[in-house]
Amino acid sequence: MAKRLNPNLAKIHRNYTVEEVANLFSVHKNTVRLWVKGGLATNDNKRPILILGSELKSYLQEKRKSNKRKCQPFEIYCVRCRVPKIPAEKMVDYEPINERLGRLIGICPTCDGIINKYFNIAKLDSVQGKLDITLPKALKHINESVKPLLNSDFK
Ligand SMILES: [Zn+2]
């Protein structure tokens, strides 16, 4: 699990050595070196390497943003792990709220927590083959009997 780093720990009017940055964020020095390789600006060519606090702050802010990726249709965001997850065994239950909308409920493969999200039944196609969805019996029945009608809604 990725550590959550607070960009505000970096003082923008300070310069930091790799070691100081490592101490500040409680990460390994090699992690800081990876940030530098990954685009964190330093005072080029000088030794020891110094990192501008302002650069450090904006680098970490960007990093934080890019960590927040969106869920794919077949993924569900796990609140505990703070990342989108493909449900364990790709198994989910569909629990209808109304004719169109319901919830997909699964289990996080990492923390075993219950994960769920709103799901539009018309988008069933988008997860077909990716997830094994268990529909409630009642809905299965409705689904079969009104299939032509539902299909016309898909497009
Ligand atoms: Zn989880």
Side-chain angles (χ1 to χ4, degrees):
M1 195 171 108
K3 227 182 235 175
R4 279 162 70 85
L5 304 164
N6 181 1
N8 295 324
L9 286 175
K11 303 265 181 298
I12 56 169
H13 297 299
R14 262 207 65 172
N15 293 336
Y16 296 91
T17 63
V18 167
E19 199 157 14
E20 282 168 340
V21 174
N23 287 336
L24 189 60
F25 293 99
S26 316
V27 295
H28 196 272
K29 275 188 279 182
N30 285 344
T31 303
V32 181
R33 291 192 181 108
L34 280 176
W35 294 350
V36 172
K37 273 189 189 161
L40 173 58
T42 62
N43 63 336
D44 298 315
N45 304 327
K46 285 180 197 149
R47 302 278 157 179
I49 291 173
L50 285 179
I51 296 156
L52 286 176
S54 54
E55 292 291 336
L56 182 58
K57 187 172 176 176
S58 58
Y59 178 79
L60 290 178
Q61 280 169 342
E62 279 308 307
K63 202 172 157 60
R64 192 189 247 188
K65 259 189 247 165
S66 61
N67 278 345
K68 277 188 195 155
R69 64 187 180 91
K70 278 199 148 183
C71 281
Q72 298 290 319
F74 51 91
E75 289 178 319
I76 302 176
Y77 186 82
C78 177
V79 182
R80 275 202 249 174
C81 301
R82 300 176 197 273
V83 280
K85 292 282 181 185
I86 296 171
E89 309 291 327
K90 298 182 180 169
M91 270 172 25
V92 287
D93 286 333
Y94 179 77
E95 193 183 277
I97 294 168
N98 58 37
E99 287 156 358
R100 287 165 176 276
L101 194 69
R103 278 175 185 287
L104 285 186
I105 302 165
I107 293 168
C108 173
T110 310
C111 71
D112 289 337
I114 300 284
I115 51 179
N116 74 86
K117 69 170 177 181
Y118 286 113
F119 186 75
N120 188 330
I121 193 71
K123 288 183 184 154
L124 205 56
D125 272 0
S126 69
V127 295
Q128 213 91 63
K130 299 262 174 58
L131 287 178
D132 184 4
I133 300 180
T134 307
L135 297 170
K137 272 210 177 93
L139 194 78
K140 237 182 238 170
H141 177 71
I142 293 168
N143 211 0
E144 275 157 24
S145 58
V146 297
K147 214 163 199 173
L149 208 146
L150 266 179
N151 278 343
S152 65
D153 265 7
F154 281 172
K155 300 282 133 64

